[in-house]
Amino acid sequence: MTYSELWHRLTPLYGQEEAVAIVRALLDELFGMTLTDIVMGKVEQLTPAEQQTVEEKMHRLETGEPLQYAIGHTAFYGRLFAVNPSVLIPRPETEELCRIITSDNDRPFCGLQPPVPTRILDIGTGSGCIAITLALNLPNSNVTAWDISPYALLTARDNAHRLGAKVNFELHDILDSDSLPIVDEEKKYDIIVSNPPYVCDSERSGMRPNVLEHEPSLALFVPDDDPLRFYRAIVGYATQALRKGGNIYFEGNSAYVDDVAELCRKAGFSTAKVLNDQFENKRFVKC
């Protein structure tokens, strides 16, 4: 087994540059192996047991399975989150959404009486990356997170437990409005946040197989004829569950974020701003 042999096995799927990067990341994750170690021949010095571990991961990568699933975790906002095919792999754009929310709401307080905790609802939590990040970065908060998938909620709960975040996870379908909990006035939310499915079915053809064939379709796609279905449902729920003066934060498809903002305005929100992500693409809506 050599380094060159390993990355050449992935070139039919990824091309040389990306194949090299994936194998380097794999060796680093498994053994802490640096580029210097690789150049010095450490791959050839792996024990039979270590080689077997590499082989098991390589077989998964050769099917197109994302590296994050193969190694079982990914970095998000400076922390490691467990991921598996029941949840989307968190993206850098979603980290930026968390930074925006944290910046808006991380305010110091004075006096002996602490303020009432900020009540936050994360709809479609997946791995729990948003809910857990906000719970840890906004200490005076009370965070609830929903998902339609019980398997996603199990992953999110495990992440919260391992990272020491207090989050209340609940099984709910935002599209089933009759089943959603009614919120008492004193328990209304200060923040509702969601990174819902927003990729149109027609966009499937332009997606890479490692996403299309391995990440959960339930968390990705919406019909071409109703791309705002989740936003409409969330805004509808927010009209009775969000306190006066509260905010909604959305991540969305750059082709439709202006429509999401208009949807919020028509629902009675006083402001609806479209914000760019770190790549200068329209990506977020704050209402």
Side-chain angles (χ1 to χ4, degrees), residues 81-141:
F81 282 78
V83 292
N84 55 60
S86 71
V87 300
L88 286 182
I89 298 166
R91 267 56 174 190
E93 295 87 342
T94 308
E95 285 187 317
E96 184 63 21
L97 176 61
C98 290
R99 289 189 186 95
I100 291 169
I101 299 172
T102 300
S103 177
D104 284 353
N105 296 278
D106 186 17
R107 300 183 180 93
F109 61 88
C110 300
L112 299 176
Q113 181 64 38
V116 175
T118 302
R119 294 181 58 81
I120 302 172
L121 173 62
D122 173 26
I123 299 176
T125 195
S127 65
C129 61
I130 294 176
I132 293 167
T133 297
L134 296 181
L136 294 174
N137 287 64
L138 297 174
N140 190 41
S141 59

Side-chain angles (χ1 to χ4, degrees), residues 20 40 72 82 96 111 114 118 144 157-159 163-164 170 173-174 185 190 200 207 256 263 278:
V20 167
M40 296 298 292
E96 184 63 21
T118 302
T144 298
R157 285 193 180 103
D158 287 345
N159 279 323
L163 292 169
E170 299 178 1
D173 179 1
I174 188 63
E185 188 65 33
D190 301 285
C200 290
M207 297 179 70
Y256 295 107
L263 175 68
Q278 64 270 47

Side-chain angles (χ1 to χ4, degrees), residues 220-259:
L220 282 170
F221 296 108
V222 289
D224 289 352
D225 61 357
D226 192 13
L228 303 186
R229 61 161 44 174
F230 287 96
Y231 300 98
R232 190 180 306 110
I234 294 166
V235 169
Y237 184 70
T239 57
Q240 63 93 6
L242 191 69
R243 71 162 178 82
K244 185 176 181 180
N247 292 316
I248 300 181
Y249 295 86
F250 286 125
E251 182 175 330
N253 189 324
S254 58
Y256 295 107
V257 288
D258 288 318
D259 296 325

Side-chain angles (χ1 to χ4, degrees), residues 26 69 77 116 122 136 175 257 262 277:
L26 176 65
Y69 289 161
Y77 216 96
V116 175
D122 173 26
L136 294 174
L175 299 181
V257 288
E262 183 61 23
D277 61 24

Side-chain angles (χ1 to χ4, degrees), residues 2 14 43 49 79 81 83 96 123 152 162 198 200 204 211 227 229 260 273 277:
T2 68
Y14 296 105
V43 176
R79 302 179 179 97
F81 282 78
V83 292
E96 184 63 21
I123 299 176
R162 182 171 45 79
Y198 60 71
C200 290
R204 289 175 184 262
V211 174
R229 61 161 44 174
V260 173
K273 297 180 181 179
D277 61 24

